[in-house]
Amino acid sequence: MANLGPSFTRRDLLVATAAVAGTSVFGGLTLASCSNPTSAVRFPAALPSGGTIGICAPSAGVPKAVAARYEFAVNFLRQRGYRLIIAGPIVSDAIVSAPAPERAAALQSLLTNPEVDVVLPPWGGELLIDILPLLDWTALRTAQPPWVVGYSDLSTFQVPYLLNTGTASLDGSNLLETPINPPAPGLKWWPDVVSLPAGSNFQQTSATAYQSSDVDWAKHPTATTFELKTPSRWKILGHEGDPGYTVTASGRIIAGTIDVLAPLAGSRFGDVRAFARRVSPDKLIIALDAADFNTAQYARALWDLRGAGWFDSASMIVLGRTGAEQVSGFTVRDAANDALAGLAVPVVYDADIGHLPPQMAWVLGATATLAVGGGRATLSQTLA
């Protein structure tokens, strides 16, 4: 389990234990249809100037040692004219911010409140998985949807939200990271993305450097930049030695953290096959990062998703940078090669997604084109 000592990083509150909940918790493979029968994906309305942002902690709360960062981020938003609605407990030193029914109720209240434009958790955590059966998915399918912005354990909700209600959300930031604008040159700040109307297109280019360790918010409560000092280079599996090799793919985005998504494979909350049928003939760009998994766990989780059909309709598989512990010299590249090399799908890794910042903004459900070559990448997304 995470060590909640005097210093806290995002990695301290990631999902080391989500796998305790097997797919039997969620039952069979029934996938609910999107509330709009004419569209496979619905995109929330644009965040207006002075709009309303709902804050809740559906997984981990903010430890007292990080409360100064939380207050800094909240004030940052208020100073820019946003109205805030705070639902449920936020500050907590426990593994979760509150018992599961309270966390589910807080999230549900924001998702179904027509005044809320964006739902923004402080960060991820470990056990969001235990609120999934408590949410009213029928109400979520019919409610006017807000944007949901998060990553890490928020993937446990965001991917099922797309698959079960057809609703787009944004992977790549959270409340505590919001004062960092932009995450890096070439990347988009999340308020700029969710302020776009449906049908809009936006483009990002990969970062040239990244931060090789997590942010310690207890030590840096007022940080407004990441420390981008380590050179960044996207790699194409099997073509690392060919700098002239390029690959381009198009499809709808599914993005998130594999540590928390693998336990959903085979359940009604992780039925990517059914979603792929709904969006056909569109293919899927599957973008995954690893939080706490070591390299062997990473490989097993990739096999889990492969067995559940996640990659059957993929046009590209994207794996984020990770500080994963190597097992007996088994690298992240080895993990990708072990689980994915047999697929007729291009695989890229060391991408700008995940827990070593900066992160691209990935809109789940958006149509996208990703071009990778020469260590760089360009990602174009359309909210349609």
Side-chain angles (χ1 to χ4, degrees), residues 29 35 54-55 66 76 104 138 168 186 248 300 303 324 353 380 384:
L29 294 170
S35 64
I55 296 172
V66 184
F76 179 91
T138 299
T248 300
R300 290 196 297 267
W303 276 109
I353 180 173
S380 177

Side-chain angles (χ1 to χ4, degrees), residues 130-142:
D130 60 12
I131 74 169
L132 292 183
L134 305 179
L135 296 171
D136 183 345
W137 291 91
T138 299
L140 298 184
R141 284 193 294 274
T142 57

Side-chain angles (χ1 to χ4, degrees), residues 236-237 239 245 247-249 314-318 340 343-348:
I236 304 171
L237 186 66
H239 299 276
Y245 187 85
V247 63
T248 300
S315 60
M316 185 181 289
I317 301 168
V318 184
L340 305 176
L343 299 174
V345 179
V347 177
V348 301

Side-chain angles (χ1 to χ4, degrees), residues 134-277:
L134 305 179
L135 296 171
D136 183 345
W137 291 91
T138 299
L140 298 184
R141 284 193 294 274
T142 57
Q144 172 184 310
W147 281 100
V148 177
V149 176
Y151 72 103
S152 190
D153 200 17
L154 264 296
S155 305
T156 311
F157 171 74
Q158 288 174 281
V159 171
Y161 193 40
L162 174 66
L163 302 184
N164 283 268
T165 76
T167 307
S169 64
L170 188 149
D171 177 285
S173 193
N174 54 39
L175 172 61
L176 297 190
E177 292 181 354
T178 295
I180 298 176
N181 172 27
L187 303 189
K188 292 294 187 183
W189 190 42
W190 75 257
D192 292 338
V193 175
V194 304
S195 297
L196 297 171
S200 297
N201 175 271
F202 70 99
Q203 184 171 294
Q204 298 171 94
T205 55
S206 58
T208 58
Y210 70 96
Q211 182 170 300
S212 59
S213 62
D214 232 337
V215 180
D216 188 334
W217 298 124
K219 292 182 178 178
H220 306 285
T222 61
T224 56
T225 59
F226 292 123
E227 296 183 2
L228 307 179
K229 297 180 179 179
T230 304
S232 178
R233 184 176 180 82
W234 291 41
K235 302 178 181 68
I236 304 171
L237 186 66
H239 299 276
E240 293 87 348
D242 184 356
Y245 187 85
T246 62
V247 63
T248 300
S250 296
R252 290 192 181 269
I253 291 173
I254 293 180
T257 297
I258 196 169
D259 310 43
V260 297
L261 293 177
L264 302 181
S267 80
R268 65 188 177 95
F269 294 116
D271 193 348
V272 168
R273 277 180 173 148
F275 178 76
R277 290 193 294 270

Side-chain angles (χ1 to χ4, degrees), residues 15 22 37 116 146 184-185 207 227 232 248 293-294 312 319 358 369-370 377:
V15 231
V116 174
E227 296 183 2
S232 178
T248 300
F293 277 180
N294 64 38
D312 290 357
L319 306 180
T369 297
L370 178 60

